[in-house]
Each structure stands twice: as C-alpha cells, then as structure tokens.
Amino acid sequence: MYRVILIVSIVFVSVTFPAVVRLPCHAMSVDTFRLIPRKQLIPAAGHYYNEVLYQLDFAAAFSALDQLAVIAEERRAPELETYTLLLKGRYCYDRNRKKDRQPLRYFDSVLAAKVCPEAVATEALFFKGAYYYYPLGIYPEAFEYMLKANEDAQRIGYRNLPAAGFLLCRLALGHLHFNEPETALHYLRQAARLPGNSPINTMNLYNTMGMAYVEIQQYDSAIYNYGIALEYAKVWHEAWVGIISGNIGNVYYQMGWYDTAAKLLHKDFDISSRKKNYSSAGSAAIILAKIYLARKDFAHAAQMLGECQTLLSHLKKGKWRAEYYECLSLLHKERAEYRDALRYSDSFIQYTKNYSTEWQKEILDQARSKNETDRHPANI
C-alpha cells in the first residue's frame, strides 16, 4: 500500500521564462530588480542566488531576500515573492546541511502559494525530494519528487528553469548512489549542455561525472572530468581543491601510477586536514600508507598510519577502518613484530566482517528502496 502524494492549492500562471539571465556578478544587487523586465525576474533571481546570495552569511542573505520580496510586492509580481521563499529553502540547506525540517517549510509554502509559476513549482518539487527526503534516506519519496520534477522540467524546457543544471546533477548523484553510473552520465551530459550553470554547480557536475566514469572503469575520462572540476575548485573553494585532488589521486592509485597518486593524495591530506575535512584527509592518508607499504617505505607508511589514528573517529565507513588495520598488520609483519601483526590482523578481520555486513545491508536497503522507487512515481 503506497501513500499517494497530492499537491494542491497551486495556481499555475502563464508566465514563460526566457533562458537564464547571466548578468555580471558585480552588477547584481537587490535594487537591480526594480529595473529588470518582469519576465526576466525569476531567471535573474536564480542567477543572483548562485552568484551572490549563496556566499553571504545567514543574516545578510535573508535580509536581501526580504528586500526582494518587498520589491516583488511593489512591482505587483507575486511570482517573484513566491520564488524568494524557494530561495530561502535552498539557502537553509546549502549553508546548513543538518537533517532538519526548515527547508521543507519553505518548499511547502511555495507549493501552497496562490500564485506559483509552473517552473517555480517544479523546482520546489525537486528540492523537496533532494533537500529533505534524500538526506533522510527516504529514497522512494525522494525519487518520487525528483523524477516528477524532471518530467515537468522536460516538458517546460530545461532552459526555462534557473536551477535545471542543479536538478540534473542531483538526480545523477542519486542514480550513482544506486549503482547506475550510465544513467547518471545521461543526466550529467544534459546538464553540461545547459547555459547558465553556476561555478559551484559546474564543479559538482564534472566531479560527479568523474565519479561515474570511475565506476565504469573509464579512468582516462574520469581524470579528464575531475581535471575540469579542479579548475573550478581553484577559483571557488580551496576545500574542494583538496577533495578533487584526492579523487584524481585515487584514480592514479588504482592505475598503479604511485608517484603521481602520492603527490595528489598528499595535497588532499594537507588541505583537508587544514580545512577540518577529516573524512577526506583520513581516506587520503590510508591510500598513502598503502602506496608506501607497496614501495617498502615503512617509515613513511608508519607516519601516515599515525596520522590516520587521530582521524579514526571521523572515518565512519567500516571499509576505511578495515583498511587501516590491514595496513597496520602488514607494517608490523614487515618489521617482524608478529604479535602486533596478529593483533591488528584480528581487528582487520573483525572490521571486514562488520563492513561486509554493513555493505550487504546497504545494498539490500538500496535494492528495496529502488524497487519501491521504480513503482512509486505512478502514485504521485
């Protein structure tokens, strides 16, 4: 018995939005919206969010959005006032990724608004799935909203939705999570052809594309797309320089190019440690330890494993803990410290069992969710 989701109280107004407006970042301010032609207000607001609001602190961003709502009322443009609610919901999630209900409140307000352009309702549907249900692991409902939104976006035209690129990237990431890299690549290629993608969305697009190519073992394509993502990261966010460098380093490690891999993984470890992205730093340290063990450089292997020890609490996946203890066991075996090698080998076996159970449960949960997801959209 599946729950039917009914979305009511939406009045679709006949407003056709042109392709997303790309105004110079320095030219954008709230007062700009007093002069922009009405048909361009929503695309311009989407661009304003991507280029300006996203980078502001909470008080400044919400103050700007409140001013935008006042301008919408003055100009008798209720569709813009509705869109400010959607942007508040996006901001709450983008800048505070805790699993709370705050973004949901704004998306529901958009869907219940008396005047809600179809393109805005489509984005609200999508963000409700991607920003609320998906982080909670409620995948059938998440995909229900995301797939319905994608159907509407196709009918309306991706170029008429300010967040179309993000919609496609997020949908691709969902399919990648469900071990469907080819489907993910299909959506990502569509997103790459769209004009008006924000720098951070373009970075995420190519990083996700790299991940998808790794899954199908097309390593050259993975490195190429990671490289594009890295160039955007250098401009946008240093923390992502570390993460993407580590992604590229991991590909080279899988290819057996240890020298190139080590340089990139050290970069990831250094930046991620400094930025307190401990999960990325820990995974980089473990791969570096593996490289040093393969080279018989036991001093540097011990150094990296020592770094890992301080990061263990942040390595939530059993896989990384299992590999940490495996490396420790191999290191002590090479040093003829057999008692310690045996002790760490027991820990490795235990965490491998735990990880195997954890992985089997994740696969089973994914299979169940995917089965529900495949049937669920028919009930919307």
Side-chain angles (χ1 to χ4, degrees), residues 357-370:
T357 304
E358 171 188 302
W359 180 242
Q360 288 170 9
K361 182 180 183 301
E362 184 176 340
I363 290 175
L364 183 59
D365 287 345
Q366 283 186 354
R368 286 172 177 163
S369 292
K370 186 175 188 304

Side-chain angles (χ1 to χ4, degrees), residues 307-318:
E307 298 284 1
C308 283
Q309 187 175 17
T310 63
L311 299 168
L312 272 183
S313 62
H314 301 280
L315 298 177
K316 296 179 181 179
K317 287 189 177 180

Side-chain angles (χ1 to χ4, degrees), residues 72-93:
E73 187 175 2
E74 290 173 353
R75 296 194 58 180
R76 298 182 181 179
E79 70 278 6
L80 177 60
E81 188 172 359
T82 300
Y83 195 61
T84 62
L85 293 173
L86 184 138
L87 294 179
K88 285 183 175 180
R90 285 193 65 182
Y91 185 92
C92 286
Y93 178 85

Side-chain angles (χ1 to χ4, degrees), residues 166-191:
F166 184 88
L167 183 156
L168 289 165
C169 286
R170 191 73 184 203
L171 196 54
L173 196 60
H175 282 282
L176 194 57
H177 180 204
F178 278 82
N179 301 312
E180 295 181 345
E182 295 287 3
T183 304
L185 285 169
H186 167 72
Y187 287 122
L188 290 166
R189 287 167 184 148
Q190 290 185 72

Side-chain angles (χ1 to χ4, degrees), residues 326-376:
E326 180 186 25
C327 290
L328 273 178
S329 178
L330 290 171
L331 176 62
H332 286 284
K333 180 181 176 183
E334 292 291 345
R335 290 174 167 176
E337 298 167 352
Y338 298 116
R339 182 173 296 180
D340 286 335
L342 185 60
R343 177 163 60 92
Y344 289 123
S345 179
D346 288 342
S347 297
F348 163 65
I349 291 168
Q350 184 59 48
Y351 275 102
T352 300
K353 286 180 180 177
N354 292 345
Y355 169 63
S356 180
T357 304
E358 171 188 302
W359 180 242
Q360 288 170 9
K361 182 180 183 301
E362 184 176 340
I363 290 175
L364 183 59
D365 287 345
Q366 283 186 354
R368 286 172 177 163
S369 292
K370 186 175 188 304
N371 185 46
E372 290 182 60
T373 297
D374 289 342
R375 290 181 292 174
H376 219 57

Side-chain angles (χ1 to χ4, degrees), residues 240-290:
W240 275 98
V241 172
I243 294 168
I244 298 170
S245 295
N247 288 346
I248 300 172
N250 186 39
V251 176
Y252 280 117
Y253 167 72
Q254 293 184 54
M255 295 170 66
W257 293 29
Y258 291 161
D259 288 342
T260 305
K263 290 177 183 177
L264 290 160
L265 289 162
H266 270 297
K267 188 173 187 178
D268 180 13
F269 177 78
D270 293 341
I271 294 175
S272 294
S273 297
R274 180 158 40 84
K275 294 291 184 179
K276 299 183 179 181
N277 187 358
Y278 298 121
S279 179
S280 184
S283 59
I286 288 174
I287 300 172
L288 281 166
K290 288 182 174 183

